[in-house]
């Protein structure tokens, strides 16, 4: 029941983004890392509730979600949007600065505009989501920028060639983690969206997802030898993503919303959990 509540409230997806954020700080349990990551946790939950609320207003079909009676309730979606938003802003207030607001602006803009649909002269509806292949890029960029780009600005400030490459590889990783959700929505997405599962089919899409995850694993190994990143981070990413490979392979047999929304979404959380275990094992905490 707890897992279903976490999914229905969007706190689980928020926790996944929170985990990616903490993995981007050199000191993941520092005050600034905790405040910013908590802001992302509740901010993401608020943004996803807002998207659900807008879709309900527009009469769109939603994925069949855990049966808690929340999915099609406009009032609960609005209350969740407002409540989670207020909590997220309370955490943001602890570290707020003008520069941070500028850095967050692209994420806020994408989250606000993404679910909106506008009438066009041809009497259809158009939105950011209606542009073929844009959905995947928007999600991958927004998650990666907010969970890596902004944390790097907060903790480091300087951007190097390695930083830009890491951002690119994070976009690839998040895209890989997003593909199973397009598999889940295969029966709901309009044909003109041309999502990867629509173009490649189920098996090929999952193979692509796992291949992109493998690319990030190769990148982590390369970064260890060439850029000297911390060994505990390397082990956490490699082991966590290896488990992620196994989870995504299971999507071929189980495309239920619970399996994808809980287990696939848990991959970044698993990586962070392994990092904490590794740090405890060698006494870095």
């Amino acid at each position: 029941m707890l897992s279903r509540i976490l999914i229905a409230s969007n706190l689980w997806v928020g926790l996944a983004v929170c985990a990616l954020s903490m993995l981007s700080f050199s000191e993941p349990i520092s005050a600034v890392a905790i405040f910013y990551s908590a802001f992302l946790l509740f901010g993401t939950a608020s943004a996803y509730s807002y998207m659900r609320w807008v879709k309900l207003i527009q009469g769109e079909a939603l994925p069949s979600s855990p049966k808690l009676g929340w999915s099609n309730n406009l009032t609960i979606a609005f209350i969740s949007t407002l409540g989670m938003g207020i909590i997220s802003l309370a955490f943001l207030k602890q570290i707020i600065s003008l520069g941070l607001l500028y850095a967050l602006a692209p994420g806020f803009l994408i989250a606000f505009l993404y679910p909106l649909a506008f009438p066009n002269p041809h009497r259809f509806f158009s939105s950011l989501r209606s542009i073929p292949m844009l959905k995947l890029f928007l999600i991958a960029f927004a998650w990666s920028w907010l969970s890596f780009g902004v944390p790097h600005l907060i903790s480091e400030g300087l951007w190097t060639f390695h930083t830009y490459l890491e951002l690119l590889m994070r976009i690839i990783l998040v895209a890989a983690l997003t593909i199973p959700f397009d598999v889940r929505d295969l029966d709901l997405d309009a044909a003109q969206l041309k999502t990867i599962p629509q173009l490649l089919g189920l098996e090929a899409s999952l193979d692509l997802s796992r291949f992109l995850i493998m690319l990030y694993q190769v990148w982590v190994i390369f970064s260890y030898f060439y850029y000297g990143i911390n060994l505990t981070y390397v082990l956490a990413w490699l082991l966590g993503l290896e488990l992620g490979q196994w989870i995504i392979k299971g999507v071929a047999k189980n495309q239920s919303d619970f399996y994808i929304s809980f287990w696939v979404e848990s991959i970044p959380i698993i990586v962070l959990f392994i990092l904490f275990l590794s740090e405890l094992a060698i006494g870095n905490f």
Side-chain angles (χ1 to χ4, degrees), residues 49-60 74 115-117:
S49 295
Y50 160 73
M51 292 176 193
R52 178 190 295 169
W53 178 64
V54 172
K55 289 178 181 180
L56 288 172
I57 290 175
Q58 295 173 162
E60 292 190 33
L74 272 169
L116 299 179

Side-chain angles (χ1 to χ4, degrees), residues 143-203:
W143 273 44
S144 301
W145 174 251
L146 292 174
S147 67
F148 172 74
V150 177
H152 183 77
L153 288 174
I154 293 174
S155 59
E156 303 288 342
L158 297 177
W159 282 70
T160 64
F161 184 63
H162 175 248
T163 308
Y164 287 108
L165 283 178
E166 176 64 31
L167 179 60
L168 175 61
M169 296 307 297
R170 285 291 185 98
I171 291 173
I172 291 173
L173 174 63
V174 175
L177 299 178
T178 304
I179 290 174
F181 291 86
D182 285 336
V183 169
R184 179 199 65 184
D185 297 341
L186 195 54
D187 295 332
L188 295 176
D189 287 334
Q192 62 266 27
L193 287 180
K194 291 181 170 53
T195 63
I196 287 178
Q198 288 174 336
L199 295 173
L200 301 181
L202 188 150
E203 292 288 350

